[in-house]
Every structure is written in structure tokens, then in C-alpha cells.
Amino acid sequence: MKLLSQTTWRGLGLTALALSAPLAQAHTGHGTSGIAEGLTHPFGADHLLAMVAVGLWSVSALPANKAWWGPATFMLSLIVSAALGAAGLHLPFLEQLISLSVVLFGAMLVASRLKMPVATGLGLVALAACLHGLAHGAETPETGFAAYALGFLATTATLHFGGVAIGLGIQKYVAEKSTWIMAGLGTLCSGAGLYLFSQL
């Protein structure tokens, strides 16, 4: 008997690949002028954790036919806020706030069984995505950013898909323990976010 679907295995594989990347801040040591750099940039720990967590939360907290709303909200907010960042908008302590957004997403996973209003959850997703977008917009070079952005969005969507696939697999194959598994993953996510915050 197959324990996990092909989609779930793909999600697990994508996440494992992502976790094999160095546990580094997403806004240091990266270029921003080509598609290859855009494809690898989201594997910084803060972005990776946030994007996978959004996929997991969307499956556990949103109606089954609306699980795509979380990733779509994140990506749209990311694009808009990146444009604002490129235009010169910035916030103090942005890196610290981004690390705390990882803590937030972990807490949302822990509390997903409480079923907060959809608008509230999506609002928090959008707010956190704006922090990530502002940071990336501020890095905009004079040339080559369009290709970088395309690569970045492709990896972002892939990581969201990985989170959604894992969440669906958990719900389908270990449904009776899904609440506890999501809470455990949320706790790990928040702990990682606090660690990242402590390193700034």
C-alpha cells in the first residue's frame, strides 16, 4: 500500500532540497542581477521557512478549495512591496522583522486548528510578504533585475507548492494526527525564526 502520494513525495523532495541549502540570511552574499541568482535566492533560511509555512498554513487553515489563496496572497504582496522597496520605501529593523515573520507563520501553524477568520490570516500573510518584498526591492540593481525577479518568483511558487503538497499529504494519510503534526512543525518554524533573530 502506498503511504504517500506522488504529489506529497514531490513536496517532500523539494523541501529536503531546500533544507540542504546553507542556513543563511536571505539578504547577504547574494547577487540580484540574473535568473540563476533569482532561482537560488529564496533558499536563504528566512524566506524558505516562510514560504513553506505559508503553504502548510493554507492547507490547514483555509477551505480545501481555497488553499491557493495563501500562496497567491504572499506572491502578490511580494511583488507590490518589492516595487515600493525599489522606489525607496524602507523600514527600520527590516531583517529583524523578517525573522519575526517566520515566528509568526510558525505560530499561525500552531493555532491553525482554531480557524482564525480567513481575512485575518491572509492579512497576516500579506503583511509578512511585504517585509520580504521591501528587502528585495531595496536590492534592485540598475540592470538585470527582471530576470532575477522571474527566477525568484519561480522558486517562491515552488516552495509554496512544496508546503501545500506536504500539508495535503499529512491531511490525507495521517489525518487523525494532522493537528499535532502541524503544531509540531509550527513550533519548529517559530524556533528557527527566533534563532535567526538572535543571530542578527
Side-chain angles (χ1 to χ4, degrees):
M1 183 177 71
K2 291 176 67 176
L3 295 178
L4 296 175
S5 70
Q6 187 176 21
T7 299
T8 303
W9 278 116
R10 286 177 184 161
L12 288 169
L14 289 168
T15 304
L17 175 64
L19 291 175
S20 68
L23 191 64
Q25 284 302 104
H27 307 121
T28 58
H30 293 277
T32 56
S33 59
I35 191 166
E37 292 167 336
L39 287 168
T40 58
H41 200 110
F43 290 119
D46 48 6
H47 288 302
L48 184 155
L49 290 166
M51 292 167 193
V52 173
V54 167
L56 286 167
W57 174 82
S58 297
V59 170
S60 62
L62 298 178
N65 63 338
K66 295 181 173 64
W68 60 273
W69 282 15
T73 297
F74 190 101
M75 292 187 69
L76 180 60
S77 300
L78 188 73
I79 292 168
V80 172
S81 58
L84 293 173
L89 179 64
H90 68 279
L91 293 175
F93 307 109
L94 187 55
E95 288 293 343
Q96 288 84 352
L97 290 171
I98 288 173
S99 295
L100 291 177
S101 77
V102 177
V103 178
L104 169 67
F105 285 137
M108 289 171 67
L109 274 175
V110 171
S112 59
R113 66 186 180 86
L114 300 179
K115 300 296 182 186
M116 74 170 70
V118 170
T120 301
L122 292 177
L124 291 172
V125 169
L127 177 63
C130 284
L131 298 173
H132 292 258
L134 285 173
H136 286 291
E139 300 170 331
T140 306
E142 292 184 5
T143 60
F145 189 71
Y148 165 81
L150 181 63
F152 183 89
L153 290 174
T155 299
T156 296
T158 301
L159 291 171
H160 283 321
F161 171 78
V164 168
I166 293 169
L168 290 174
I170 290 170
Q171 282 192 347
K172 183 172 182 179
Y173 296 102
V174 285
E176 70 282 358
K177 297 179 180 178
S178 62
T179 298
W180 294 106
I181 292 173
M182 289 296 184
L185 291 173
T187 301
L188 290 172
C189 184
S190 289
L194 290 172
Y195 172 79
L196 292 173
F197 181 84
S198 73
Q199 299 304 299
L200 296 173

